[in-house]
Structure formats: structure tokens, C-alpha cells
Amino acid sequence: MNPRLPSKLYYGGDYNPEQWPESIWQEDIRLMREVGVNIVSLGIFSWAKLQPSEKRFNFGWLDRIMDLLAANGISVCLATATASPPPWLSRQYPDVLPVTADGVVLQVGSRQQYSPSSRVYKKFAAALVRKLAARYRKHPALVSWHINNEYACHLQECHGEDSTVAFRNWLRARYKTLDALNEAWGTAFWSQAYGDWKEIFTPRRAPYHCNPTQCLDFRRFINDAFLSLSRMEAAILRTATPQIPITTNFMGFFKPLDYRDWAGVVDYVAWDSYPDPVDEKAARHAGAVGHDLMRSLKPDRPFVLMEQATSAVNWRPTNLPKRPGLMRLGSLQTLARGGDGVMFFQWRASKAGAEKFHSAFLQHVPHDRSRVFAEVKTLGFELGKLAIVAGSVVKNKVAIAFDWQAWWAVETESKPGRIDYAGWAQTLHRWFYEKNIGVDFVHPGADLAQYDLVLVPSLYLLTSPDADNLTHFVVRGGTLLATYFTGIVDQNEHIVLGGYPALLRKALGLWVEEWCPYPDGRTNGLGFAGDRKKYACDHWCDLLHLEGATALADYTGDFFVGRPAITRHVHGKGCAYYLGTRPDAAGLDRLLSRVGREANIQPILKTPPGVEATLRESAEGRFLFLLNHTDRTTKISLNGQRGRDLISGKKIVRTTTLPPLAAAVIQLDR
């Protein structure tokens, strides 16, 4: 069974009634109804309240607030509360505490103070989840389970005794024999060969670089250790409540966890998004690219934005509030890119604790004098007009091949130069975002049949099956763009010999002899064939040899002047481009414009700069979202389309005009 949330637009946020006297709960509920809240996340950090001691549980307060919410038509995404163990647990069982690579034991006083491999933690977490599931499985307010919270956000690894034993067991399961492990880890290098499983430890602090395959396997192990916790909780909940969907909150481009593995555990994707409003242009792209990554994990259904800020956060060195209009526009961007839930951290701003300066629906000032409250009330009213959008999906023809394991591998120590893997992928995404061309993020081994263009940015680790998949995509008629430092090593972090990138050599029609990483501030240039205009490039320069590919642009400087920098190769029914450097914005625009034309990629709608256009589709119709991120009134041509703006209720014929920071959601005529 794979249950889904009911098809509706969800509006709400984290609610922490345990932080407040029950005398204000009725006022909370009244104000929730006033602003249109229809769902809250409940109990996320309440383990100590729910279980004050090892043998004693206290569910009375949770019963009362659950009943109160149900009586007022507000649904609950009920958390399992396992994200922050109570102090009594580590006092009585200190082995649950995590240990750093330097051997430091992390203590209570914050949150997530547990080792993901701790057998004691698993025992008590499972017991709590069973009690919650048994008690609330038929409660009318319950519409979803929220497992834990932001796994690995603050605790990203552990090197304690339980973790060491679990790592060895994980390696036994993966390699079966020490001979196989020694071969995979290349332990003939630096006299690292292991003769007994007990000789193997987690990669702790060492005199110099640790074994790169050991480090990569440890990243895999840590991902699996946290994943096993979520699977444990999910199994308990699915047994008790098979009809209730399960989720946890992801964090976008979060390196420690391979969210593609995690997508199979949750019934719908939820995530937390906190772009910094200091740079509004960067923030709106950060939101968009994060939504696209998260939506792509389960593309057949909408996602939920579980957390965002109504205004300022509390954890940056400088916490700038969102100026009026930005919160609303960012929330509508969630819907525009495939979300069916707009939620916030949190309902009522805390009066104590580390997050007391984090914004909320209810700030520390009276609500009737708060501009934030007025804005969330307006947003709730508008979301009520957009209910027909719920359940619709986004369909794209462009994809970026993105793999967490390649991310882990390329950013380990001892590489020719630093590769910002996620940053480079986001740079390429930004070009399409600014052109209103939708992009999905896919695994390189995924089914690519629906796509006309696939980009492969610095996919350092590439397995043979995944390389074959990308090659077949080209052979069948697709357009591929691979960039420098792609296809260098296999799953064991071993160089694939035969000329980089050996597994894509035929598809690309070239091989790379060597590379020239540039330090910050150093540049080269490139020029396209038949054009006098020159473009700057930096960061990295591949020295290419052509084997069937055609040079589109050559380097203009350094000892490899005149050699190819950008190539194109016809392979089967399609073609494969290769980008051997990082061009400036103008050079990248020149290349991607050509690649897009060849793949016949069209924008959703051509709009003035700063106006975002996206499309969602369902049996109910096609919904065109227009978001004006600028401070000027902008007229937009619909390219002959017409429909009705669901927000204003007005008929739109051929053009529409948006004031600054305004939006339209147009249900297009069939």
C-alpha cells in the first residue's frame, strides 16, 4: 500500500503547544481558523514531555490538543518525536551519545544527541513509536505521520563503538570477504591491507588523507544507518496505520543523505527551504532549484513544503527579515513548481530556547498589529481560491543527472582541484530557470525516455550500467551535455582506465589527456568557430583529443591554446556535447542556447526578466503560474493563450499585467 495525502492544498506549520500553557490553546485554534490553517505538524520535539522517565508516559496533553484540533477541522501531521531524545536516556544509557572523528562525545543540551547505530536508541525510539501508533491510529485529526525530523541535520556521522561494529557488519554484507574489501579499497597502497575485520575502524582523524574508498563507503554506511532508523519507524507505522501516509522533512541539496534512497520510504516528499533574503535573486532561484530537486524524487505526485520562515530565521550571523510580499511570492513558488503544501516553522514564536528569534505566524507582538500576521492571513485566503490546482503535476523535457554518491566521491580529499558538485549543477539549472524551461533532477541510471535533453555536470563517479544508460539515451535520439571531470572513477573510487571518461568515450567522441585546474582569479579564454567574439573561462580546463567529435570552441590561452574546449559528436540518432571548462555567463549562454535549439527545448512562456512562468497539469486542466519577482509593474504576453486568473477571478485574454511582487495563477482554456 502506498497511501497519499488527500488531494488538497495544505496550509499550516509546526505547532508546539507543549511550550505554552493550555489556557492559550483555544486562542491558537481561533487564530488558525482565521488565517486558513488546515494542518499542523505536532509533537516534533516532545519526547521528554511524552515520556518523562523510562517507565512513565504522559499522553494526556497530546490527547487534548489532538481532540481540540479535530473539533475545529484542523488536520495533524503527527511526529514520532524521536529527533531529540530526553536527557534521562543518555544519563541512564550514555552509549547512545554520538562520538566525533576526534573521539569527542557530544552531550545533551541541544538536539539530535544520538548515534544512528545505537542499539539502545533504536529500542526506545521503536517503543515510543509503537505507543503513539497504537494510541492515535484511529484519531480523526491524523492525516499523516512525520518520522523524526531533519535526519542528520546537525549530527552527520558517529564513530562510537556501536557505529564501529555496525560499520564492520555493513562492510561484511557488502564485500563478503576481506580479499574483496582489500581489492575494492585498493589497500595495497600505503600498506593498508586488512587481515581481520576487527582491524577496520570508521575513518577517524588520521595523520594524512584517509583511504578515499573507505571514506566513500563510510558515507554510504552513514546514509544507510539513518535510513534504517526511518525504515524501522515506517514499518511500525505501516503495520498500525496502513492507510495513513508517512513522510519526513528533507533539506534539498543536503549532502550527507542520498534522498533518492529515502524517497522509497516516504509516501510523499516534504522538505524545508530557507533561502537567505539578503540576495533576493539568489534566494528565489535557491527556492526554485530546491523545489525541482525535491519534486523529482517522486515526480508522480505533489510534494509539501514542510518548513519555511514567515520572515527572519535565527541561525545566520545576520538574520534579515523578508520584506513585505516576499513570503507570499515564495509560497506561491512552491505551488508553481509542483507543491501541494505551504507550511512554516512555526505557529507561535517561542519565548525561550535557541529558536526564540525565529519568525512565526504569531510573532512576539500582538497579532492585530503584526504585518507578518496580516500577510499570512492574506496568503491563506488566496490558497483557498487555488484548491483546483491540488493534485496536478509538472512535466518537463530537460533533466540534470545528479547522483549523491558522485557528490560524496568528488568532494573527498586529494583531488586535482575542488569541484562544487551541487553548485555546478545549480549553475546549469539557473540558465533554464531564467528562461522558464522546466528541469527535473534524475539519477544517471533512470529511465530517460521522456526527456529530450540531459545534462551531466561533473559526474565524477559513474558506473558502467549508468554510462550505458546515458549512451543509449544519445543513441535513441537524445541530446546530452556532459561537463569536465565526468566519468573518472567507478563505484569503488578506482580510475576507469582507457582515457577519461572511458565509459563515455564513444558517446562523446573524445578522450581527455589531462586537466588543468585553475586557482581562484586565474582565467583562460575560448572562442567559438567562425566567430571573433571571445569568452572568458576559469576553474578548470580539460586537454581534449577528438575521436569523431567536432570542436565548437577552442582555448585562446595557456600552453594548450588552439585545442578544443567545447565539442559536439553525433552518435546514433542523437548527439553528445562536451564542455571541458567553465565559461563565463555569456559563453555558457551561447553554448546552452545552441544545445537547447538542437534538442528543440521551448520555454513555458517567454516573459520579461524577473518573471517566473511554470505549468502544472491534471485532468482538471492546465495551470499557468506567473510570478513577478521585480519591483516594477510588468506586462506579460500569453502568446495567444487565454484563461481565468484564479486569484483575481478575472478573465485573461492574450496579455496580463502584474504589479511588483504580484502573481497570477491562470487556468488556461482547453
Side-chain angles (χ1 to χ4, degrees), residues 15 17-26 28 351:
Y15 183 35
E18 68 272 22
Q19 297 179 14
W20 301 93
E22 292 192 29
S23 59
I24 69 170
W25 289 2
Q26 288 283 357
D28 281 337
K351 66 178 181 179

Side-chain angles (χ1 to χ4, degrees), residues 425-487:
Q426 291 176 67
T427 294
L428 296 176
H429 177 280
R430 182 192 290 268
W431 186 89
F432 293 91
Y433 166 73
E434 292 178 348
K435 302 290 188 298
N436 294 324
I437 298 171
V439 176
D440 293 340
F441 287 87
V442 298
H443 189 273
D447 182 358
L448 304 175
Q450 78 178 71
Y451 301 107
D452 296 324
L453 172 61
V454 173
L455 296 94
V456 186
S458 299
L459 193 65
Y460 166 73
L461 184 153
L462 181 65
T463 67
S464 181
D466 292 348
D468 289 344
N469 189 55
L470 295 172
T471 299
H472 292 155
F473 167 74
V474 178
V475 170
R476 292 192 301 266
T479 300
L480 183 81
L481 170 61
T483 84
Y484 56 88
F485 219 44
T486 284

Side-chain angles (χ1 to χ4, degrees), residues 638 640-646 649-654 665-670:
L638 298 190
Q641 301 178 98
R642 61 179 62 200
R644 183 173 66 89
D645 180 8
L646 298 175
K650 296 179 180 178
K651 289 289 292 182
I652 306 296
V653 180
R654 291 190 292 277
V665 181
I666 303 170
Q667 184 175 8
L668 298 173
D669 291 347
R670 295 182 185 272

Side-chain angles (χ1 to χ4, degrees), residues 99-103 159-161 163-165 168 200-208 210 214:
V99 180
T100 70
D102 294 310
H159 298 264
E161 183 60 28
S163 294
T164 300
V165 172
R168 290 171 183 158
I200 301 172
F201 290 85
T202 60
R204 302 174 183 181
R205 196 68 63 208
Y208 194 43
C210 288
Q214 179 186 11

Side-chain angles (χ1 to χ4, degrees), residues 146-151 246-250 262 266 268 270-271:
H146 180 137
I147 295 176
N148 203 278
N149 185 75
E150 293 183 338
Y151 276 105
I246 295 169
T247 196
T248 189
N249 44 344
F250 299 159
W262 290 69
V266 298
Y268 64 97
W271 83 290

Side-chain angles (χ1 to χ4, degrees), residues 40-361:
V40 294
S41 298
L42 198 63
I44 291 175
F45 294 113
S46 61
W47 192 342
K49 180 83 169 177
L50 292 168
Q51 190 178 8
S53 63
E54 181 172 349
K55 302 296 185 181
R56 185 163 68 91
F57 289 86
N58 172 24
F59 292 106
W61 68 275
L62 187 55
D63 292 346
R64 293 189 293 277
I65 192 63
M66 289 281 287
D67 291 347
L68 185 59
L69 290 163
N72 285 272
I74 299 173
S75 299
V76 172
C77 179
L78 185 58
T80 56
T82 54
S84 191
W88 62 259
L89 182 62
S90 55
R91 180 177 64 83
Q92 294 174 222
Y93 304 95
D95 286 349
V96 305
L97 294 171
V99 180
T100 70
D102 294 310
V104 176
V105 179
L106 301 179
Q107 297 292 333
V108 298
S110 182
R111 69 188 205 191
Q112 293 188 342
Q113 70 278 6
Y114 63 87
S115 166
S117 299
S118 167
R119 290 164 290 181
V120 171
Y121 170 81
K122 292 176 185 177
K123 171 187 171 183
F124 282 96
L128 176 61
V129 175
R130 288 190 187 96
K131 285 189 173 290
L132 285 166
R135 191 174 191 92
Y136 299 106
R137 62 191 181 90
K138 293 184 179 180
H139 199 282
L142 181 65
V143 297
S144 176
W145 290 105
H146 180 137
I147 295 176
N148 203 278
N149 185 75
E150 293 183 338
Y151 276 105
C153 181
H154 310 292
L155 173 75
Q156 298 178 2
E157 60 183 45
C158 177
H159 298 264
E161 183 60 28
D162 277 355
S163 294
T164 300
V165 172
F167 184 45
R168 290 171 183 158
N169 291 337
W170 185 92
L171 293 170
R172 285 177 186 266
R174 182 176 179 87
Y175 294 110
K176 311 304 181 188
T177 68
L178 281 171
D179 286 344
L181 178 140
N182 282 314
E183 174 63 25
W185 285 16
T187 56
F189 183 80
W190 281 355
S191 185
Q192 294 176 354
Y194 294 99
D196 191 293
W197 292 101
K198 292 183 179 180
E199 296 172 0
I200 301 172
F201 290 85
T202 60
R204 302 174 183 181
R205 196 68 63 208
Y208 194 43
H209 297 306
C210 288
N211 183 307
T213 313
Q214 179 186 11
C215 292
L216 177 58
D217 271 347
F218 185 64
R219 294 259 58 86
R220 291 166 171 153
F221 159 73
I222 286 293
N223 176 70
D224 287 355
F226 281 110
L227 187 59
S228 71
L229 295 181
S230 72
R231 286 174 172 156
M232 175 190 75
E233 294 194 22
I236 295 169
L237 297 173
R238 288 202 170 97
T239 299
T241 58
Q243 77 285 5
I244 301 296
I246 295 169
T247 196
T248 189
N249 44 344
F250 299 159
M251 291 170 285
F253 287 90
F254 182 64
K255 183 179 175 182
L257 302 182
D258 184 348
Y259 284 143
R260 285 213 179 81
D261 287 346
W262 290 69
V265 176
V266 298
D267 295 306
Y268 64 97
V269 169
W271 83 290
D272 301 345
S273 177
Y274 291 99
D276 192 343
V278 167
D279 184 339
E280 292 182 8
K281 185 176 181 180
R284 68 177 182 253
H285 177 251
V289 71
H291 291 322
D292 287 351
L293 178 68
M294 296 291 95
R295 182 197 66 244
S296 299
L297 298 175
K298 280 188 174 293
D300 67 326
R301 65 196 61 194
F303 64 90
V304 168
L305 179 59
M306 185 69 73
E307 289 185 26
Q308 61 172 327
T310 58
S311 185
V313 299
N314 68 290
W315 37 265
R316 294 187 176 105
T318 300
N319 297 294
L320 190 72
K322 297 176 182 178
R323 63 187 175 103
L326 289 186
M327 179 278 296
R328 170 183 176 266
L329 204 59
S331 298
L332 292 177
Q333 186 189 58
T334 302
L335 270 61
R337 308 197 84 83
D340 271 7
V342 175
M343 301 177 68
F344 297 85
F345 179 84
Q346 58 180 325
W347 168 251
R348 185 180 285 273
S350 302
K351 66 178 181 179
E355 293 179 319
K356 59 182 173 289
F357 293 114
H358 195 294
S359 61
F361 278 83

